[in-house]
Amino acid sequence: MNHSRELNIVKAICIILMVIGHCDAPAGVTGFVYLFHMPAFFFVSGYLLKDKYFQEPWTFIKRRIGSLYVPYVFWELLFLALSGVFFRLHITDVQLTSREMLDCAVKYVTLRGHQPLLNGFWFLKTLFFASIACLFLLRWIKRRRWIIVAGMLLLAGLCRLVPADTTMISRLFMACAFYVTGFLFSKRGGVNISVWKSIAAILAVAVISLFWRQSIFVDGWEVALYYPVAMLGTLAVFGFARAINRVDASARFLDFVGDSTLTILTFHFLSFKLVGLVVIWLRGLPIERLAEFPVIHDGILFTWPLYALVGVLFPLLVAFIRQRFFPERRGVVKLF
């Protein structure tokens, strides 16, 4: 697989699915999306892990700090600084005191919380810890590395037995399992799946989603089912990406989308507010309802595609302006 464009298309498909999953789409749609879209992100990150970092672990850690920790803290603190503005504009309904803002700042710097409008940033935090942990595990275990995957899945399943909230821990174990799986696939020649097999795989995931809905937050016995289902969806996305890459116009657009994943992750919740303003104007709703999160729950099904469209296109406009005035050679941060 061509890493420069086909993997960007994979990321583009996943980030679009993530936005759809956040915009109050019908339960059948979100149930389908959540079965595989986040595992695919961790899979891709592991797929791109280079062997040279096993000899240069501190170089890898410094890169992870620059591409994950720094953007996390920067955007969290910026949105925190703007929280008063967001409150006055009815974008949020929480007004923080100076002490609360200081407490939040400490939490963000230590990766222990996030702004509501940056709810998707749990991914940055989880990827930061998972990628570093997996680097050292893969560095230490040089043979039969599938044992790492099995071990992570077992630990994720056992989290249900702990009498405490282990959501973050089980999610980290699951992230590690998909990250290492991606790396192992890359070492075995990559993902080679035809379009027809991709269609069959995604149809299987769709059928399963009719009867069982779960996400990467899974634990207990369901881990044993979630992992293969998520892998079916992930491999299908790779097959679709290869097919799309043959259609130049679509491929170039999705290449740009995949190259803008951090921007979409950062701004898609804020972008939903633009659609919220339209909904408020059309239905004569009070402006205070703009603060509803993640979208205004108006019970009208046709609004979710509009939220999804704006949630992708507005951040892409931001990314385009960024590239126009601050070209890539100046060091734009990327997730992968």
Side-chain angles (χ1 to χ4, degrees), residues 1 6-7 43 47 181-182 185-186 188-194 198 231 234-239 242:
M1 174 173 282
E6 289 188 20
L7 283 177
F43 182 97
Y47 194 91
T181 303
F185 265 87
S186 72
R188 297 197 173 197
V191 178
N192 297 300
I193 180 171
S194 68
S198 297
M231 283 306 305
T234 297
L235 296 178
V237 171
F238 270 73
R242 174 163 293 177

Side-chain angles (χ1 to χ4, degrees), residues 277-291:
L277 287 172
V278 175
V279 172
I280 287 172
W281 175 64
L282 290 177
R283 302 197 62 199
L285 302 176
I287 190 63
E288 288 77 13
R289 293 201 57 183
L290 185 63

Side-chain angles (χ1 to χ4, degrees), residues 56-331:
E56 306 171 14
W58 299 114
T59 299
F60 179 80
I61 291 173
K62 285 189 287 186
R63 286 180 63 88
R64 294 286 83 181
I65 291 173
S67 63
L68 297 172
Y69 176 80
V70 171
Y72 183 98
V73 173
F74 173 80
W75 288 110
E76 291 288 355
L77 293 180
L78 180 60
F79 274 47
L80 178 63
L82 294 172
S83 60
V85 176
F86 292 151
F87 177 78
R88 286 190 290 274
L89 294 176
H90 304 288
I91 292 174
T92 62
D93 56 4
V94 177
Q95 187 172 26
L96 301 174
T97 65
S98 298
R99 178 56 186 271
E100 289 171 334
M101 290 185 68
L102 179 60
D103 290 341
C104 286
V106 172
K107 288 182 179 179
Y108 301 156
V109 171
T110 55
L111 303 179
R112 292 185 295 115
H114 49 72
Q115 283 279 301
L117 289 172
L118 295 172
N119 197 47
F121 268 34
W122 69 263
F123 169 72
L124 301 187
K125 177 172 60 177
T126 304
L127 181 58
F128 177 74
F129 290 118
S131 59
I132 293 174
C134 290
L135 175 75
F136 284 101
L137 286 172
L138 290 167
R139 188 168 180 254
W140 295 330
I141 302 175
K142 295 182 172 58
R143 295 182 179 181
R144 298 179 182 178
R145 285 166 163 167
W146 284 105
I147 294 175
I148 302 174
V149 178
M152 292 296 107
L153 295 175
L154 178 61
L155 290 172
L158 293 175
C159 281
R160 184 170 292 184
L161 302 178
V162 179
D165 183 7
T166 58
T167 302
M168 186 175 70
I169 297 175
S170 64
R171 184 178 65 198
L172 178 61
F173 289 143
M174 291 300 294
C176 287
F178 290 111
Y179 187 95
V180 174
T181 303
F183 174 78
L184 295 179
F185 265 87
S186 72
K187 296 298 107 181
R188 297 197 173 197
V191 178
N192 297 300
I193 180 171
S194 68
V195 175
W196 292 111
K197 288 181 180 179
S198 297
I199 293 173
I202 211 67
L203 285 176
V205 174
V207 171
I208 292 171
S209 72
L210 296 176
F211 305 97
W212 182 70
R213 291 168 186 168
Q214 191 50 270
S215 71
I216 199 169
F217 295 91
V218 66
D219 61 11
W221 67 267
E222 292 177 302
V223 167
L225 178 58
Y226 184 79
Y227 177 78
V229 173
M231 283 306 305
L232 273 179
T234 297
L235 296 178
V237 171
F238 270 73
F240 292 137
R242 174 163 293 177
I244 293 171
N245 195 36
R246 302 190 187 105
V247 183
D248 191 57
S250 300
R252 282 188 284 111
F253 172 73
L254 289 178
D255 184 31
F256 179 59
V257 174
D259 214 27
S260 307
T261 49
L262 179 57
T263 307
I264 296 172
L265 182 66
T266 302
F267 291 107
H268 73 284
F269 282 120
L270 196 57
S271 302
F272 290 166
K273 301 303 178 180
L274 298 175
V275 181
L277 287 172
V278 175
V279 172
I280 287 172
W281 175 64
L282 290 177
R283 302 197 62 199
L285 302 176
I287 190 63
E288 288 77 13
R289 293 201 57 183
L290 185 63
E292 291 184 18
F293 184 85
V295 299
I296 295 176
H297 303 286
D298 57 1
I300 301 177
L301 291 179
F302 71 79
T303 57
W304 75 265
L306 184 58
Y307 278 111
L309 185 65
V310 174
V312 173
L313 293 183
F314 181 78
L316 286 182
L317 176 61
V318 174
F320 175 78
I321 293 172
R322 180 204 68 197
Q323 289 190 8
R324 180 72 175 81
F325 295 100
F326 303 97
E328 295 291 352
R329 66 176 182 272
R330 298 185 186 178

